[in-house]
Amino acid sequence: MRLSRYFLPILKENPREAEIVSHRLMLRAGMIRQQGQGSFSMLPIGKKVLDKVCKIIREEQDRAGALEILMPTIQSAELWRESGRYDDYGKEMLRIKDRQDRELLYGPTNEEMVTEIFRSYVKSYKDLPLNLYHIQWKFRDEVRPRFGVMRGREFLMKDAYSFDLNYEGARAAYNRMFVAYLRTFTRMGLKAIPMRADTGPIGGDLSHEFIILAETGESQVFCNREFLKLPVPGEATDFGNDSQIAQIVQDWTTPYAATDEMHDEAAWEKVPEDDRLSARGIEVGHIFHFGEKYSKPMGAKVQGPDGKEHNVSMGSYGIGPTRLIAAIIEASHDDAGIIWPESVSPFDIALINMKAGDAECDRLCELLYGEYTAAGKEVLYDDTDQRAGVKFATADLIGLPWQVIVGPRGAASGEVEIKNRCTGERETVSLDVARERFGVPA
């Protein structure tokens, strides 16, 4: 993509309304535009990041055996009355009526709707286990939306829902999602630590928040440093092997880890002092088992092997892709701007023409642009006539992993400069090396 033809509304000054780093950098880098209180448009470069985040989420959900569907944003109030949540949910729910005066709501979550889908079609234990997920917009009328997409009113959510015959099956489903989440966040360049979360009236221990450590995190967390060294399951992980998956979950839940709400000072004191890590954290995912909370009042039953009807045991599993973008930035930035992990970067390479209009600079840039693109790399080619300092500032701000810089002096000798955005390291290389570095065949 040529920058001269791209929509990238860079802001030079820090927006006054932005309180945290991610909000500030997303506005400055032209990723988002605020449309209302807690509501944002995703601009082209922001949409590219969002799509890559969702792609990784989908791949890991699919790998774990979940099936993608798509449910409406507008839901019937009657479904929520069946579950008993319509009157209990509070002012965060946006309640509306259509022209026939039917009561509707803009979905803040989808337990009722997915349970209705399940009960309409699944009648036998032979059709279990089942896990259905979608990636859909949600709306929660927050009292005080803030921090940009970190805590908005309208946001994108991946929510999955598992259905099993009994607790044992539900536990296995929970474990599969647990491991899928570990892989998902690792692929985005994040070290997510699962921390036991409050299960409310359901009880038990099947609820975990996945927290990434960041200085600007919204909550205090306490964990064993052992988490920083635990190996994340690889691609060869067999999600059909319940015992293998359960062992991974056990390994990742044995060391101490808790948010301030769940912190147990007595248990913390038992952690060796050198292994204690107290830091700020950001929640990037939450998984939760709630058993028959929805299946019982809504009549989601299946016939078991004993010939009797059983209320299915359910769980829900959430990741907010829009929030996740902000969390990645909070964990990966410097004074100059964003530093994208390669897996979610909007482009792979910033190709910078230091002197647009110079014949040799233009020729080399066009050559590299064509070859990199043909090799499958996504390139943002800065072919504008801006000053060199502005080009460098823009490249650093938007945070692409690599910068390939073509200037008149280097072009005359067949050389370019390559900069690693993460480390800041620069090196001058020949044209052949610049090709080879990014997969252009010899």
Side-chain angles (χ1 to χ4, degrees), residues 157-189:
M157 175 66 74
K158 186 286 302 183
D159 38 328
Y161 304 93
S162 62
F163 302 84
D164 289 272
L165 178 64
N166 50 36
Y167 176 81
E168 289 72 25
R171 174 99 204 197
Y174 184 94
N175 289 346
R176 286 191 289 273
M177 285 292 102
F178 187 107
V179 174
Y181 273 41
L182 291 177
R183 286 189 43 76
T184 297
F185 299 126
T186 297
R187 288 185 58 189
M188 296 180 195

Side-chain angles (χ1 to χ4, degrees), residues 22-76:
S22 57
H23 189 192
R24 181 165 67 247
L25 290 178
M26 290 182 78
L27 287 169
R28 287 198 55 213
M31 295 181 65
I32 57 174
R33 170 68 181 175
Q34 184 162 344
Q35 302 298 157
Q37 191 179 35
S39 177
F40 297 86
S41 290
M42 301 298 295
L43 304 184
I45 201 165
K47 179 63 163 54
K48 282 181 69 68
V49 175
L50 184 61
D51 287 346
K52 292 192 174 185
V53 166
C54 290
K55 181 175 183 289
I56 291 173
I57 291 171
R58 282 190 170 96
E59 288 173 355
E60 294 304 326
Q61 290 292 290
D62 296 347
R63 187 193 302 274
L67 302 172
E68 186 172 10
I69 61 175
L70 186 61
M71 292 178 274
T73 57
I74 303 298
Q75 302 183 32
S76 166

Side-chain angles (χ1 to χ4, degrees), residues 123-194:
K123 306 300 180 184
S124 170
Y125 75 96
K126 295 179 181 179
D127 295 321
L128 302 179
L130 183 63
N131 190 322
L132 302 175
Y133 80 95
H134 73 159
I135 299 177
Q136 180 61 287
W137 292 96
K138 304 284 191 289
F139 187 92
R140 294 175 189 169
D141 196 1
E142 294 276 357
V143 174
R144 191 185 172 199
R146 56 195 302 218
F147 304 150
V149 298
M150 185 72 79
R151 190 182 296 171
R153 295 200 299 169
E154 187 175 9
F155 53 93
L156 196 61
M157 175 66 74
K158 186 286 302 183
D159 38 328
Y161 304 93
S162 62
F163 302 84
D164 289 272
L165 178 64
N166 50 36
Y167 176 81
E168 289 72 25
R171 174 99 204 197
Y174 184 94
N175 289 346
R176 286 191 289 273
M177 285 292 102
F178 187 107
V179 174
Y181 273 41
L182 291 177
R183 286 189 43 76
T184 297
F185 299 126
T186 297
R187 288 185 58 189
M188 296 180 195
L190 299 171
K191 185 69 173 183
I193 300 173

Side-chain angles (χ1 to χ4, degrees), residues 2-123:
R2 298 173 188 273
L3 187 54
S4 61
R5 300 177 188 173
Y6 199 57
F7 182 54
L8 186 64
I10 297 292
L11 301 180
K12 294 181 180 179
E13 303 297 329
N14 286 327
R16 276 188 240 168
E17 69 271 25
E19 299 178 57
I20 62 172
V21 170
S22 57
H23 189 192
R24 181 165 67 247
L25 290 178
M26 290 182 78
L27 287 169
R28 287 198 55 213
M31 295 181 65
I32 57 174
R33 170 68 181 175
Q34 184 162 344
Q35 302 298 157
Q37 191 179 35
S39 177
F40 297 86
S41 290
M42 301 298 295
L43 304 184
I45 201 165
K47 179 63 163 54
K48 282 181 69 68
V49 175
L50 184 61
D51 287 346
K52 292 192 174 185
V53 166
C54 290
K55 181 175 183 289
I56 291 173
I57 291 171
R58 282 190 170 96
E59 288 173 355
E60 294 304 326
Q61 290 292 290
D62 296 347
R63 187 193 302 274
L67 302 172
E68 186 172 10
I69 61 175
L70 186 61
M71 292 178 274
T73 57
I74 303 298
Q75 302 183 32
S76 166
E78 289 308 308
L79 281 178
W80 283 65
R81 287 198 171 95
E82 281 190 55
S83 71
R85 282 209 299 174
Y86 185 73
D87 294 320
D88 295 342
Y89 201 87
K91 293 183 178 180
E92 287 78 21
M93 181 189 289
L94 181 62
R95 294 167 168 83
I96 53 181
K97 290 185 179 182
D98 66 10
R99 66 176 66 194
Q100 276 83 37
D101 215 32
R102 288 174 295 210
E103 292 180 297
L104 305 169
L105 58 100
Y106 194 120
T109 183
N110 278 76
E111 283 83 357
E112 284 82 2
M113 186 171 283
V114 77
T115 302
E116 192 279 330
I117 291 171
F118 177 89
R119 75 183 181 189
S120 298
Y121 298 105
V122 182
K123 306 300 180 184

Side-chain angles (χ1 to χ4, degrees), residues 235-247:
E235 286 190 19
T237 302
D238 182 3
F239 280 93
N241 186 331
D242 287 348
S243 61
Q244 182 189 86
I245 296 297
Q247 184 60 55

Side-chain angles (χ1 to χ4, degrees), residues 2 349 351 363-379 430-442:
R2 298 173 188 273
I349 301 166
L351 177 60
R363 186 188 72 81
L364 280 186
C365 284
E366 291 292 341
L367 178 67
L368 290 173
Y369 180 54
E371 290 182 338
Y372 287 158
T373 302
K377 298 298 180 184
E378 291 184 281
V379 183
S430 68
L431 197 58
D432 286 341
V433 171
R435 289 165 163 159
E436 181 184 345
R437 183 71 57 84
F438 299 108
V440 176

